[in-house]
Amino acid sequence: MAKITVDGKTIEAVEGKSLLQTCLENDIYIPNLCFLKDMEEPTGACRLCLVEIEGRDKMVPSCKTKVAEGMVVRTDGPKVREAQTVIFKLLFSSHNMTCKNCLSKAHCELQKIGKTLGLRLKKSMSANGEADADTNMRHPCFDLNTSKCILCRKCIYVCAQKHGKPMLSIVRGGRNGNSTAGIACEYPPRVDCYQCRACVDVCPVNAIALPTLVSGA
Ligand code: FES
């Protein structure tokens, strides 16, 4: 075990464990979108979990930082909040904000992070805010709405964990010179997709959701 100090509070923590997970388990919330409990190799995709560590010049992503004896951490200083706000606004700008019918609304990570950062989320903050929110891929196992995807890659990670080779991937494309990226899924689905749907459970923004029933189908 190691003793570390986080925001002035002393914590007994497991040496070598993810600093983000340690903080979350001790009721210290650090904004995060791409981390999952016990992730062996965090992807560090969202960059939201930045913290300051005494003796280091630069802020570090806490999900990829391991607990070490004597570490002194600051999770909510002005520099951290400023950087998180810039990163969050960038991520949010690609999210189609259609909260009214969103299944995530009671436990939306974006709302939670916005609140932590003192931001009121508005459609005008999102370049995708007025985009058509219709599902753009109907898969037998889920609906995929790429206009909500914030590219956290959690779905790819859990799919790879469960089935070896992930069925989901990031695809890049663009119209009129605008490069865009989103999640795509191989089709047809594998047999084990029907029992799994781990990607649905893990999506923090309802970009992957249980399939809606199409009338007449
Ligand atoms: S949670 Fe650490 S980079 Fe996303």
Side-chain angles (χ1 to χ4, degrees):
M1 296 294 276
K3 266 199 180 133
I4 63 170
T5 308
V6 183
D7 300 335
K9 181 178 160 192
T10 305
I11 292 173
E12 291 251 348
V14 177
E15 195 141 20
K17 189 170 177 173
S18 153
L19 178 58
L20 173 61
Q21 187 163 330
T22 302
C23 288
L24 296 176
E25 287 171 356
N26 283 277
D27 295 325
I28 298 166
Y29 179 67
I30 299 173
N32 68 91
L33 278 172
C34 67
F35 182 72
L36 287 164
K37 191 169 182 253
D38 297 329
M39 216 175 202
E40 276 176 20
E41 290 287 333
T43 58
C46 76
R47 312 308 281 180
L48 270 172
C49 67
L50 293 174
V51 294
E52 290 173 288
I53 297 186
E54 206 173 272
R56 300 208 194 171
D57 294 344
K58 290 186 182 159
M59 289 177 270
V60 294
S62 55
C63 65
K64 291 179 83 67
T65 303
K66 295 191 188 316
V67 165
E69 175 62 39
M71 211 174 220
V72 179
V73 185
R74 181 90 197 263
T75 72
D76 59 358
K79 261 170 71 182
V80 166
R81 290 296 188 233
E82 195 184 327
Q84 287 169 334
T85 299
V86 171
I87 296 165
F88 178 74
K89 283 184 175 174
L90 199 66
L91 291 169
F92 188 76
S93 70
S94 65
H95 177 67
N96 186 338
M97 192 183 169
T98 48
C99 302
K100 203 169 152 206
N101 303 317
C102 180
L103 298 175
S104 283
K105 68 181 166 193
H107 49 90
C108 174
E109 277 302 314
L110 297 178
Q111 297 280 0
K112 183 175 178 178
I113 294 170
K115 210 168 159 191
T116 303
L117 299 177
L119 296 170
R120 205 165 149 256
L121 305 187
K122 294 182 276 192
K123 280 200 171 190
S124 57
M125 290 165 66
S126 164
N128 244 339
E130 303 302 326
D132 185 353
D134 278 352
T135 298
N136 43 25
M137 179 181 174
R138 284 195 201 285
H139 185 280
C141 306
F142 54 80
D143 289 348
L144 180 60
N145 186 337
T146 52
S147 72
K148 281 178 169 265
C149 177
I150 42 106
L151 298 175
C152 70
R153 296 167 169 80
K154 280 180 176 172
C155 54
I156 299 174
Y157 179 84
V158 291
C159 191
Q161 289 290 108
K162 294 230 168 208
H163 310 294
K165 181 181 175 291
M167 291 285 280
L168 294 138
S169 58
I170 302 272
V171 286
R172 291 180 194 278
R175 268 194 227 157
N176 305 327
N178 294 326
S179 176
T180 54
I183 291 287
C185 186
E186 280 176 37
Y187 202 91
R190 284 188 307 228
V191 175
D192 44 13
C193 287
Y194 290 91
Q195 279 84 42
C196 177
R197 298 180 189 178
C199 54
V200 175
D201 294 339
V202 86
C203 179
V205 293
N206 204 38
I208 305 181
L210 287 176
T212 44
L213 296 174
V214 182
S215 57

